[in-house]
PDB file of all heavy atoms in Angstrom:
ATOM      1  N   PRO A 189     -25.817  80.303 -88.016  1.00  0.00           N
ATOM      2  CA  PRO A 189     -27.069  80.981 -87.671  1.00  0.00           C
ATOM      3  C   PRO A 189     -27.869  80.197 -86.642  1.00  0.00           C
ATOM      4  O   PRO A 189     -27.714  78.978 -86.505  1.00  0.00           O
ATOM      5  CB  PRO A 189     -27.812  81.035 -89.011  1.00  0.00           C
ATOM      6  CG  PRO A 189     -27.318  79.829 -89.756  1.00  0.00           C
ATOM      7  CD  PRO A 189     -25.869  79.697 -89.364  1.00  0.00           C
ATOM      8  N   SER A 190     -28.737  80.905 -85.919  1.00  0.00           N
ATOM      9  CA  SER A 190     -29.630  80.227 -84.976  1.00  0.00           C
ATOM     10  C   SER A 190     -30.587  79.309 -85.718  1.00  0.00           C
ATOM     11  O   SER A 190     -30.884  78.197 -85.272  1.00  0.00           O
ATOM     12  CB  SER A 190     -30.422  81.270 -84.173  1.00  0.00           C
ATOM     13  OG  SER A 190     -29.557  82.144 -83.484  1.00  0.00           O
ATOM     14  N   ILE A 191     -31.070  79.778 -86.857  1.00  0.00           N
ATOM     15  CA  ILE A 191     -31.985  79.011 -87.711  1.00  0.00           C
ATOM     16  C   ILE A 191     -31.593  79.271 -89.156  1.00  0.00           C
ATOM     17  O   ILE A 191     -31.158  80.368 -89.507  1.00  0.00           O
ATOM     18  CB  ILE A 191     -33.454  79.431 -87.490  1.00  0.00           C
ATOM     19  CG1 ILE A 191     -33.891  79.191 -86.044  1.00  0.00           C
ATOM     20  CG2 ILE A 191     -34.399  78.685 -88.444  1.00  0.00           C
ATOM     21  CD1 ILE A 191     -35.262  79.749 -85.706  1.00  0.00           C
ATOM     22  N   GLY A 192     -31.770  78.273 -90.028  1.00  0.00           N
ATOM     23  CA  GLY A 192     -31.549  78.457 -91.455  1.00  0.00           C
ATOM     24  C   GLY A 192     -30.236  77.866 -91.928  1.00  0.00           C
ATOM     25  O   GLY A 192     -29.455  77.317 -91.147  1.00  0.00           O
ATOM     26  N   GLY A 193     -29.994  77.986 -93.229  1.00  0.00           N
ATOM     27  CA  GLY A 193     -28.791  77.407 -93.816  1.00  0.00           C
ATOM     28  C   GLY A 193     -28.199  78.279 -94.905  1.00  0.00           C
ATOM     29  O   GLY A 193     -28.876  79.119 -95.488  1.00  0.00           O
ATOM     30  N   VAL A 194     -26.912  78.045 -95.167  1.00  0.00           N
ATOM     31  CA  VAL A 194     -26.187  78.743 -96.226  1.00  0.00           C
ATOM     32  C   VAL A 194     -25.494  77.696 -97.086  1.00  0.00           C
ATOM     33  O   VAL A 194     -24.690  76.902 -96.577  1.00  0.00           O
ATOM     34  CB  VAL A 194     -25.139  79.720 -95.658  1.00  0.00           C
ATOM     35  CG1 VAL A 194     -24.378  80.399 -96.801  1.00  0.00           C
ATOM     36  CG2 VAL A 194     -25.779  80.753 -94.755  1.00  0.00           C
ATOM     37  N   ALA A 195     -25.806  77.692 -98.373  1.00  0.00           N
ATOM     38  CA  ALA A 195     -25.145  76.786 -99.313  1.00  0.00           C
ATOM     39  C   ALA A 195     -24.210  77.592-100.205  1.00  0.00           C
ATOM     40  O   ALA A 195     -24.609  78.616-100.766  1.00  0.00           O
ATOM     41  CB  ALA A 195     -26.176  76.055-100.156  1.00  0.00           C
ATOM     42  N   ILE A 196     -22.971  77.141-100.313  1.00  0.00           N
ATOM     43  CA  ILE A 196     -22.003  77.727-101.234  1.00  0.00           C
ATOM     44  C   ILE A 196     -21.632  76.661-102.250  1.00  0.00           C
ATOM     45  O   ILE A 196     -21.275  75.541-101.873  1.00  0.00           O
ATOM     46  CB  ILE A 196     -20.762  78.245-100.482  1.00  0.00           C
ATOM     47  CG1 ILE A 196     -21.157  79.461 -99.625  1.00  0.00           C
ATOM     48  CG2 ILE A 196     -19.656  78.627-101.464  1.00  0.00           C
ATOM     49  CD1 ILE A 196     -20.012  80.063 -98.831  1.00  0.00           C
ATOM     50  N   PHE A 197     -21.792  76.988-103.538  1.00  0.00           N
ATOM     51  CA  PHE A 197     -21.605  76.034-104.637  1.00  0.00           C
ATOM     52  C   PHE A 197     -22.496  74.802-104.428  1.00  0.00           C
ATOM     53  O   PHE A 197     -22.108  73.673-104.724  1.00  0.00           O
ATOM     54  CB  PHE A 197     -20.142  75.619-104.785  1.00  0.00           C
ATOM     55  CG  PHE A 197     -19.174  76.771-104.759  1.00  0.00           C
ATOM     56  CD1 PHE A 197     -17.994  76.692-104.032  1.00  0.00           C
ATOM     57  CD2 PHE A 197     -19.439  77.949-105.449  1.00  0.00           C
ATOM     58  CE1 PHE A 197     -17.102  77.753-104.006  1.00  0.00           C
ATOM     59  CE2 PHE A 197     -18.550  79.013-105.419  1.00  0.00           C
ATOM     60  CZ  PHE A 197     -17.384  78.914-104.702  1.00  0.00           C
ATOM     61  N   GLY A 198     -23.675  75.043-103.846  1.00  0.00           N
ATOM     62  CA  GLY A 198     -24.672  73.990-103.715  1.00  0.00           C
ATOM     63  C   GLY A 198     -24.554  73.118-102.486  1.00  0.00           C
ATOM     64  O   GLY A 198     -25.352  72.185-102.306  1.00  0.00           O
ATOM     65  N   GLU A 199     -23.589  73.395-101.614  1.00  0.00           N
ATOM     66  CA  GLU A 199     -23.398  72.550-100.429  1.00  0.00           C
ATOM     67  C   GLU A 199     -23.507  73.378 -99.149  1.00  0.00           C
ATOM     68  O   GLU A 199     -22.897  74.450 -99.040  1.00  0.00           O
ATOM     69  CB  GLU A 199     -22.033  71.859-100.490  1.00  0.00           C
ATOM     70  CG  GLU A 199     -21.854  70.826 -99.398  1.00  0.00           C
ATOM     71  CD  GLU A 199     -20.651  69.926 -99.630  1.00  0.00           C
ATOM     72  OE1 GLU A 199     -20.030  70.016-100.706  1.00  0.00           O
ATOM     73  OE2 GLU A 199     -20.327  69.129 -98.719  1.00  0.00           O
ATOM     74  N   ASP A 200     -24.262  72.878 -98.195  1.00  0.00           N
ATOM     75  CA  ASP A 200     -24.478  73.578 -96.926  1.00  0.00           C
ATOM     76  C   ASP A 200     -23.158  73.667 -96.162  1.00  0.00           C
ATOM     77  O   ASP A 200     -22.575  72.644 -95.781  1.00  0.00           O
ATOM     78  CB  ASP A 200     -25.524  72.825 -96.095  1.00  0.00           C
ATOM     79  CG  ASP A 200     -25.936  73.598 -94.834  1.00  0.00           C
ATOM     80  OD1 ASP A 200     -25.126  74.391 -94.324  1.00  0.00           O
ATOM     81  OD2 ASP A 200     -27.069  73.397 -94.359  1.00  0.00           O
ATOM     82  N   ILE A 201     -22.698  74.896 -95.928  1.00  0.00           N
ATOM     83  CA  ILE A 201     -21.378  75.070 -95.304  1.00  0.00           C
ATOM     84  C   ILE A 201     -21.371  74.662 -93.837  1.00  0.00           C
ATOM     85  O   ILE A 201     -20.329  74.300 -93.293  1.00  0.00           O
ATOM     86  CB  ILE A 201     -20.868  76.519 -95.460  1.00  0.00           C
ATOM     87  CG1 ILE A 201     -21.843  77.530 -94.845  1.00  0.00           C
ATOM     88  CG2 ILE A 201     -20.587  76.838 -96.907  1.00  0.00           C
ATOM     89  CD1 ILE A 201     -21.324  78.967 -94.867  1.00  0.00           C
ATOM     90  N   TYR A 202     -22.530  74.709 -93.184  1.00  0.00           N
ATOM     91  CA  TYR A 202     -22.567  74.362 -91.763  1.00  0.00           C
ATOM     92  C   TYR A 202     -22.784  72.873 -91.533  1.00  0.00           C
ATOM     93  O   TYR A 202     -22.862  72.419 -90.402  1.00  0.00           O
ATOM     94  CB  TYR A 202     -23.599  75.221 -91.044  1.00  0.00           C
ATOM     95  CG  TYR A 202     -23.158  76.678 -91.015  1.00  0.00           C
ATOM     96  CD1 TYR A 202     -23.798  77.644 -91.783  1.00  0.00           C
ATOM     97  CD2 TYR A 202     -22.050  77.059 -90.274  1.00  0.00           C
ATOM     98  CE1 TYR A 202     -23.352  78.967 -91.786  1.00  0.00           C
ATOM     99  CE2 TYR A 202     -21.592  78.369 -90.272  1.00  0.00           C
ATOM    100  CZ  TYR A 202     -22.250  79.315 -91.026  1.00  0.00           C
ATOM    101  OH  TYR A 202     -21.797  80.618 -91.039  1.00  0.00           O
ATOM    102  N   SER A 203     -22.856  72.103 -92.639  1.00  0.00           N
ATOM    103  CA  SER A 203     -22.869  70.644 -92.546  1.00  0.00           C
ATOM    104  C   SER A 203     -21.525  70.048 -92.965  1.00  0.00           C
ATOM    105  O   SER A 203     -21.310  68.843 -92.855  1.00  0.00           O
ATOM    106  CB  SER A 203     -23.973  70.058 -93.435  1.00  0.00           C
ATOM    107  OG  SER A 203     -25.237  70.497 -93.000  1.00  0.00           O
ATOM    108  N   MET A 204     -20.628  70.889 -93.475  1.00  0.00           N
ATOM    109  CA  MET A 204     -19.314  70.408 -93.917  1.00  0.00           C
ATOM    110  C   MET A 204     -18.446  70.031 -92.716  1.00  0.00           C
ATOM    111  O   MET A 204     -18.569  70.619 -91.641  1.00  0.00           O
ATOM    112  CB  MET A 204     -18.575  71.511 -94.690  1.00  0.00           C
ATOM    113  CG  MET A 204     -19.135  71.828 -96.046  1.00  0.00           C
ATOM    114  SD  MET A 204     -18.109  73.112 -96.846  1.00  0.00           S
ATOM    115  CE  MET A 204     -19.051  73.350 -98.355  1.00  0.00           C
ATOM    116  N   ASN A 205     -17.543  69.072 -92.936  1.00  0.00           N
ATOM    117  CA  ASN A 205     -16.553  68.805 -91.892  1.00  0.00           C
ATOM    118  C   ASN A 205     -15.517  69.929 -91.880  1.00  0.00           C
ATOM    119  O   ASN A 205     -15.416  70.724 -92.828  1.00  0.00           O
ATOM    120  CB  ASN A 205     -15.910  67.428 -92.069  1.00  0.00           C
ATOM    121  CG  ASN A 205     -15.141  67.289 -93.375  1.00  0.00           C
ATOM    122  OD1 ASN A 205     -14.363  68.164 -93.753  1.00  0.00           O
ATOM    123  ND2 ASN A 205     -15.347  66.168 -94.065  1.00  0.00           N
ATOM    124  N   LYS A 206     -14.733  70.016 -90.815  1.00  0.00           N
ATOM    125  CA  LYS A 206     -13.811  71.138 -90.638  1.00  0.00           C
ATOM    126  C   LYS A 206     -12.778  71.225 -91.755  1.00  0.00           C
ATOM    127  O   LYS A 206     -12.427  72.318 -92.216  1.00  0.00           O
ATOM    128  CB  LYS A 206     -13.110  71.025 -89.278  1.00  0.00           C
ATOM    129  CG  LYS A 206     -14.008  71.358 -88.107  1.00  0.00           C
ATOM    130  CD  LYS A 206     -13.220  71.356 -86.794  1.00  0.00           C
ATOM    131  CE  LYS A 206     -14.113  71.748 -85.619  1.00  0.00           C
ATOM    132  NZ  LYS A 206     -13.355  71.769 -84.339  1.00  0.00           N
ATOM    133  N   LYS A 207     -12.299  70.077 -92.208  1.00  0.00           N
ATOM    134  CA  LYS A 207     -11.265  70.066 -93.256  1.00  0.00           C
ATOM    135  C   LYS A 207     -11.820  70.644 -94.559  1.00  0.00           C
ATOM    136  O   LYS A 207     -11.174  71.493 -95.195  1.00  0.00           O
ATOM    137  CB  LYS A 207     -10.768  68.636 -93.482  1.00  0.00           C
ATOM    138  CG  LYS A 207      -9.647  68.527 -94.508  1.00  0.00           C
ATOM    139  CD  LYS A 207      -9.121  67.100 -94.575  1.00  0.00           C
ATOM    140  CE  LYS A 207      -7.929  66.982 -95.514  1.00  0.00           C
ATOM    141  NZ  LYS A 207      -8.294  67.197 -96.920  1.00  0.00           N
ATOM    142  N   LYS A 208     -13.007  70.210 -94.935  1.00  0.00           N
ATOM    143  CA  LYS A 208     -13.587  70.687 -96.194  1.00  0.00           C
ATOM    144  C   LYS A 208     -13.923  72.177 -96.107  1.00  0.00           C
ATOM    145  O   LYS A 208     -13.713  72.925 -97.071  1.00  0.00           O
ATOM    146  CB  LYS A 208     -14.844  69.881 -96.530  1.00  0.00           C
ATOM    147  CG  LYS A 208     -15.403  70.182 -97.911  1.00  0.00           C
ATOM    148  CD  LYS A 208     -16.415  69.150 -98.343  1.00  0.00           C
ATOM    149  CE  LYS A 208     -16.823  69.366 -99.776  1.00  0.00           C
ATOM    150  NZ  LYS A 208     -17.795  68.355-100.249  1.00  0.00           N
ATOM    151  N   LEU A 209     -14.422  72.609 -94.955  1.00  0.00           N
ATOM    152  CA  LEU A 209     -14.747  74.020 -94.785  1.00  0.00           C
ATOM    153  C   LEU A 209     -13.481  74.867 -94.822  1.00  0.00           C
ATOM    154  O   LEU A 209     -13.466  75.949 -95.426  1.00  0.00           O
ATOM    155  CB  LEU A 209     -15.501  74.234 -93.471  1.00  0.00           C
ATOM    156  CG  LEU A 209     -15.956  75.671 -93.175  1.00  0.00           C
ATOM    157  CD1 LEU A 209     -16.849  76.196 -94.292  1.00  0.00           C
ATOM    158  CD2 LEU A 209     -16.684  75.744 -91.840  1.00  0.00           C
ATOM    159  N   SER A 210     -12.406  74.387 -94.197  1.00  0.00           N
ATOM    160  CA  SER A 210     -11.136  75.111 -94.228  1.00  0.00           C
ATOM    161  C   SER A 210     -10.611  75.245 -95.653  1.00  0.00           C
ATOM    162  O   SER A 210     -10.099  76.299 -96.049  1.00  0.00           O
ATOM    163  CB  SER A 210     -10.088  74.403 -93.366  1.00  0.00           C
ATOM    164  OG  SER A 210     -10.442  74.449 -92.008  1.00  0.00           O
ATOM    165  N   GLU A 211     -10.747  74.189 -96.435  1.00  0.00           N
ATOM    166  CA  GLU A 211     -10.307  74.230 -97.836  1.00  0.00           C
ATOM    167  C   GLU A 211     -11.155  75.200 -98.647  1.00  0.00           C
ATOM    168  O   GLU A 211     -10.635  75.935 -99.504  1.00  0.00           O
ATOM    169  CB  GLU A 211     -10.371  72.824 -98.454  1.00  0.00           C
ATOM    170  CG  GLU A 211      -9.317  71.883 -97.893  1.00  0.00           C
ATOM    171  CD  GLU A 211      -9.504  70.447 -98.347  1.00  0.00           C
ATOM    172  OE1 GLU A 211     -10.576  70.144 -98.942  1.00  0.00           O
ATOM    173  OE2 GLU A 211      -8.608  69.616 -98.109  1.00  0.00           O
ATOM    174  N   LEU A 212     -12.450  75.227 -98.378  1.00  0.00           N
ATOM    175  CA  LEU A 212     -13.344  76.165 -99.057  1.00  0.00           C
ATOM    176  C   LEU A 212     -12.940  77.609 -98.762  1.00  0.00           C
ATOM    177  O   LEU A 212     -12.837  78.449 -99.667  1.00  0.00           O
ATOM    178  CB  LEU A 212     -14.794  75.927 -98.621  1.00  0.00           C
ATOM    179  CG  LEU A 212     -15.832  76.897 -99.195  1.00  0.00           C
ATOM    180  CD1 LEU A 212     -16.071  76.613-100.667  1.00  0.00           C
ATOM    181  CD2 LEU A 212     -17.144  76.814 -98.418  1.00  0.00           C
ATOM    182  N   LYS A 213     -12.692  77.900 -97.476  1.00  0.00           N
ATOM    183  CA  LYS A 213     -12.267  79.254 -97.090  1.00  0.00           C
ATOM    184  C   LYS A 213     -10.953  79.626 -97.756  1.00  0.00           C
ATOM    185  O   LYS A 213     -10.785  80.752 -98.250  1.00  0.00           O
ATOM    186  CB  LYS A 213     -12.112  79.333 -95.565  1.00  0.00           C
ATOM    187  CG  LYS A 213     -13.405  79.270 -94.785  1.00  0.00           C
ATOM    188  CD  LYS A 213     -13.077  79.336 -93.293  1.00  0.00           C
ATOM    189  CE  LYS A 213     -14.313  79.257 -92.434  1.00  0.00           C
ATOM    190  NZ  LYS A 213     -13.996  79.295 -90.986  1.00  0.00           N
ATOM    191  N   ARG A 214     -10.019  78.688 -97.759  1.00  0.00           N
ATOM    192  CA  ARG A 214      -8.688  78.957 -98.315  1.00  0.00           C
ATOM    193  C   ARG A 214      -8.739  79.191 -99.822  1.00  0.00           C
ATOM    194  O   ARG A 214      -8.118  80.127-100.346  1.00  0.00           O
ATOM    195  CB  ARG A 214      -7.755  77.788 -98.005  1.00  0.00           C
ATOM    196  CG  ARG A 214      -6.324  77.961 -98.505  1.00  0.00           C
ATOM    197  CD  ARG A 214      -5.575  76.637 -98.445  1.00  0.00           C
ATOM    198  NE  ARG A 214      -6.115  75.686 -99.416  1.00  0.00           N
ATOM    199  CZ  ARG A 214      -5.950  74.364 -99.325  1.00  0.00           C
ATOM    200  NH1 ARG A 214      -5.300  73.839 -98.305  1.00  0.00           N
ATOM    201  NH2 ARG A 214      -6.457  73.567-100.256  1.00  0.00           N
ATOM    202  N   ASP A 215      -9.501  78.364-100.513  1.00  0.00           N
ATOM    203  CA  ASP A 215      -9.454  78.351-101.978  1.00  0.00           C
ATOM    204  C   ASP A 215     -10.483  79.265-102.647  1.00  0.00           C
ATOM    205  O   ASP A 215     -10.241  79.752-103.754  1.00  0.00           O
ATOM    206  CB  ASP A 215      -9.668  76.920-102.496  1.00  0.00           C
ATOM    207  CG  ASP A 215      -8.585  75.960-102.039  1.00  0.00           C
ATOM    208  OD1 ASP A 215      -7.476  76.437-101.723  1.00  0.00           O
ATOM    209  OD2 ASP A 215      -8.864  74.747-101.985  1.00  0.00           O
ATOM    210  N   SER A 216     -11.623  79.497-101.998  1.00  0.00           N
ATOM    211  CA  SER A 216     -12.730  80.108-102.731  1.00  0.00           C
ATOM    212  C   SER A 216     -13.340  81.350-102.102  1.00  0.00           C
ATOM    213  O   SER A 216     -14.098  82.054-102.771  1.00  0.00           O
ATOM    214  CB  SER A 216     -13.852  79.062-102.922  1.00  0.00           C
ATOM    215  OG  SER A 216     -13.381  77.944-103.629  1.00  0.00           O
ATOM    216  N   LEU A 217     -13.061  81.610-100.836  1.00  0.00           N
ATOM    217  CA  LEU A 217     -13.683  82.749-100.164  1.00  0.00           C
ATOM    218  C   LEU A 217     -12.642  83.811 -99.838  1.00  0.00           C
ATOM    219  O   LEU A 217     -11.551  83.500 -99.376  1.00  0.00           O
ATOM    220  CB  LEU A 217     -14.387  82.305 -98.874  1.00  0.00           C
ATOM    221  CG  LEU A 217     -15.364  81.139 -98.975  1.00  0.00           C
ATOM    222  CD1 LEU A 217     -16.058  80.919 -97.636  1.00  0.00           C
ATOM    223  CD2 LEU A 217     -16.391  81.353-100.089  1.00  0.00           C
ATOM    224  N   GLY A 218     -13.000  85.065-100.051  1.00  0.00           N
ATOM    225  CA  GLY A 218     -12.132  86.182 -99.725  1.00  0.00           C
ATOM    226  C   GLY A 218     -12.851  87.155 -98.814  1.00  0.00           C
ATOM    227  O   GLY A 218     -13.947  87.609 -99.143  1.00  0.00           O
TER     228      GLY A 218
END
Protein backbone atom coordinates (compact mmCIF):
# COMPACT_ATOMS: atom_id res chain seq x y z
CA PRO A 1 0.00 0.00 0.00
CA SER A 2 0.97 3.64 -0.42
CA ILE A 3 0.26 4.14 3.29
CA GLY A 4 -0.60 1.73 6.12
CA GLY A 5 0.20 -1.83 7.08
CA VAL A 6 -1.15 -5.38 6.98
CA ALA A 7 -0.35 -7.88 9.73
CA ILE A 8 -1.01 -11.59 9.21
CA PHE A 9 -0.75 -13.74 12.36
CA GLY A 10 0.50 -10.61 14.11
CA GLU A 11 3.42 -9.82 11.80
CA ASP A 12 3.58 -7.02 9.22
CA ILE A 13 3.82 -8.76 5.85
CA TYR A 14 5.48 -5.80 4.14
CA SER A 15 8.33 -5.86 6.68
CA MET A 16 9.04 -9.57 6.14
CA ASN A 17 12.04 -10.71 4.14
CA LYS A 18 11.30 -12.38 0.79
CA LYS A 19 11.95 -15.91 2.06
CA LYS A 20 9.57 -15.61 5.00
CA LEU A 21 6.88 -13.97 2.88
CA SER A 22 7.21 -16.71 0.25
CA GLU A 23 6.80 -19.36 2.95
CA LEU A 24 3.74 -17.56 4.32
CA LYS A 25 2.14 -17.48 0.86
CA ARG A 26 2.96 -21.13 0.23
CA ASP A 27 1.83 -22.49 3.59
CA SER A 28 -0.96 -20.23 4.81
CA LEU A 29 -2.53 -18.10 2.08
CA GLY A 30 -4.90 -19.26 -0.65
